[in-house]
Amino acid sequence: MRQLAHRLDRLGTETAFSVAQAAAAWKAQGNRVYPFHLGDINIPTAPHIVEAMNRAIADGYTGYCPGPGIPQLREALAEDIGSRRGIGLTPDNIVVMPGGKPVITKFLQAVMNPGQEVLYPNPGFPIYESQIEYLGGTSVPYRYLPTESGFAIDLDQVRASITPHTVAIIYNDLQNPISAESTAAEREAVAQLAQEHNLWVLSDEAYFETRYEGVSNSIASLPGMAERTVILYTFSKKFAMTGSRLGCAVAPPEIAKVLSTLNTNDESCTTHYVQWAGIEALRGPQEPVQQMLDVLRERRDAACELVNATPGMHVAVPHSTFYLFPDVTAAMERMGCTEVGDFATAALQQTGVSFCTREHFGRRQPGEERQYIRLAYSGIDVDDIRVGLDRLRQWIESA
């Protein structure tokens, strides 16, 4: 058999999809499944956005278009993203991409040489670790510490992890999977470290506007940060456009030019007619955005109530994203489980509740003793949340 490239050994994946396969197999056997595993959204894209996409197809916007995106969308993105973050942007700062995920890869291609180090959150979105290592870099994880209100970055660990080989830090405020949100002091501390050590910053802001209380803030708006920060922006979460694959990088112009060239090399351009839908999403009626947030808030509240009513499980109520990351250490002990993967399998087979675990979001770090699972409530209706999590509660109570 012919050999494949050695770098494939370093390529990871988004492991939530493997949980989805296990849940689908269990469902195919005739079992009921309550899907908390995948951060997809079971709320349709708003009709006016779909109509704009269909209209663009009918009008013939089905061919190639500029690599960095059509000018009209780049202008709309610069205006919207800049105004919401209090920073001045022009279309030269915007590079449209097929979703937010390509921003991670192209950022690393632009700023990291093989052998250089990149700090990334762990637990965190698994594609960070996968792409750093696939591209020949050294992935350096930093952890979060549990607090009464959720989780906080271990800033001492971040400081201790920076070396002369460190070139960048990936920072995910409003974080997947743990829903952590930085305080102003924490955000400023990360910014100070980036400036002290001359680091690039990838600010993953996929959930910037998926929030139920408070106001989001971007690290790029802090003094001295705009020129060293690339923002990951996506239409997937805010506008329920996960399958449309539309996002962008917000970058200093010199990096934006590099990202645009990478676009041309990788996919030529982002789908033309989808970009016209993006313009309508940004400039059209915004009521569907608020309506979706109202639905998600109801789901969050129901899920938090039931999780915290379950013996051995606890979670702080997050103000953003659509994930819960409860501590299940005591619940696992009650069930006689030592491995969180075994706990997840037993839960699926005994209750139908399907979820990811801490192990799906990066390699466990030394000293981690607590056990966690991730519950995504974006793809499950509130009535099924109540039924599923109540079945989980009864199962654990009966042990």
Side-chain angles (χ1 to χ4, degrees), residues 80-102:
D80 187 83
I81 295 171
S83 65
R84 294 180 187 278
R85 290 159 179 77
I87 54 179
L89 297 174
T90 73
D92 289 340
N93 296 110
I94 306 297
V95 182
V96 178
M97 297 190 189
K101 196 177 290 184

Side-chain angles (χ1 to χ4, degrees), residues 135-158:
L135 294 169
T138 300
S139 58
V140 181
Y142 63 86
R143 63 175 163 252
Y144 287 77
L145 302 174
T147 72
E148 290 185 3
S149 59
F151 296 89
I153 294 172
D154 186 344
L155 291 169
D156 289 338
Q157 186 194 32
V158 174

Side-chain angles (χ1 to χ4, degrees), residues 299-380:
R299 296 178 184 183
R300 177 203 63 176
D301 293 344
C304 285
E305 180 181 354
L306 283 159
V307 166
N308 287 324
T310 301
M313 293 177 61
H314 173 73
V315 68
V317 179
H319 298 302
S320 65
T321 80
F322 35 66
Y323 306 111
L324 304 181
F325 201 69
D327 186 321
V328 297
T329 308
M332 286 178 54
E333 292 173 353
R334 185 184 182 99
M335 303 306 297
C337 292
T338 58
E339 299 293 333
V340 71
D342 294 340
F343 177 70
T345 299
L348 174 64
Q349 295 177 357
Q350 296 298 318
T351 72
V353 175
S354 176
F355 50 78
C356 295
T357 72
R358 186 267 176 267
E359 268 65 20
H360 292 101
F361 300 98
R363 304 182 188 100
R364 186 177 286 267
Q365 298 189 58
E368 285 192 41
E369 297 178 353
R370 309 299 296 178
Q371 302 282 1
Y372 296 91
I373 63 173
R374 191 196 73 169
L375 300 170
Y377 51 86
S378 55
I380 179 169

Side-chain angles (χ1 to χ4, degrees), residues 14-237:
E14 189 168 352
T15 47
F17 288 104
S18 64
V19 181
Q21 291 173 357
W26 185 247
K27 185 177 181 180
Q29 297 176 32
N31 300 295
R32 179 66 188 272
V33 170
Y34 300 89
F36 290 90
H37 49 265
L38 199 59
D40 203 353
I41 303 172
N42 68 340
I43 299 170
T45 305
H48 68 281
I49 300 174
V50 176
E51 290 166 6
M53 190 182 306
N54 290 337
R55 187 166 58 249
I57 294 173
D59 290 343
Y61 293 107
T62 55
Y64 291 125
C65 61
I70 60 176
Q72 298 91 331
L73 179 56
R74 295 170 72 199
E75 181 180 350
L77 282 163
E79 178 182 325
D80 187 83
I81 295 171
S83 65
R84 294 180 187 278
R85 290 159 179 77
I87 54 179
L89 297 174
T90 73
D92 289 340
N93 296 110
I94 306 297
V95 182
V96 178
M97 297 190 189
K101 196 177 290 184
V103 179
I104 301 169
T105 301
K106 292 170 186 174
F107 167 82
L108 292 169
Q109 287 177 300
V111 308
M112 182 193 76
N113 291 311
Q116 291 182 317
E117 298 170 354
V118 175
L119 297 168
Y120 72 101
N122 182 333
F125 189 47
I127 302 305
Y128 304 146
E129 181 179 276
S130 171
Q131 286 299 297
I132 294 167
E133 297 185 356
Y134 177 70
L135 294 169
T138 300
S139 58
V140 181
Y142 63 86
R143 63 175 163 252
Y144 287 77
L145 302 174
T147 72
E148 290 185 3
S149 59
F151 296 89
I153 294 172
D154 186 344
L155 291 169
D156 289 338
Q157 186 194 32
V158 174
R159 291 188 187 94
S161 298
I162 297 173
T163 77
H165 302 291
T166 308
V167 294
I169 180 170
I170 298 176
Y171 173 63
N172 183 199
D173 200 357
L174 313 181
Q175 207 252 33
N176 172 21
I178 65 178
S179 295
E181 178 177 0
S182 286
T183 62
E186 181 177 273
R187 193 176 302 110
E188 290 167 3
V190 173
Q192 183 178 5
L193 286 170
Q195 293 181 64
E196 286 177 0
H197 298 276
N198 196 27
L199 304 180
W200 289 104
V201 177
L202 175 63
S203 183
D204 185 342
E205 300 183 5
Y207 300 92
F208 192 85
E209 290 162 84
T210 306
R211 64 173 310 129
Y212 315 108
E213 299 90 19
V215 178
S216 296
N217 294 280
S218 174
I219 195 170
S221 66
L222 295 177
M225 291 304 295
E227 57 265 37
R228 68 176 63 250
T229 302
V230 173
I231 295 173
L232 183 159
Y233 177 93
T234 176
F235 286 77
S236 294
K237 318 304 180 184

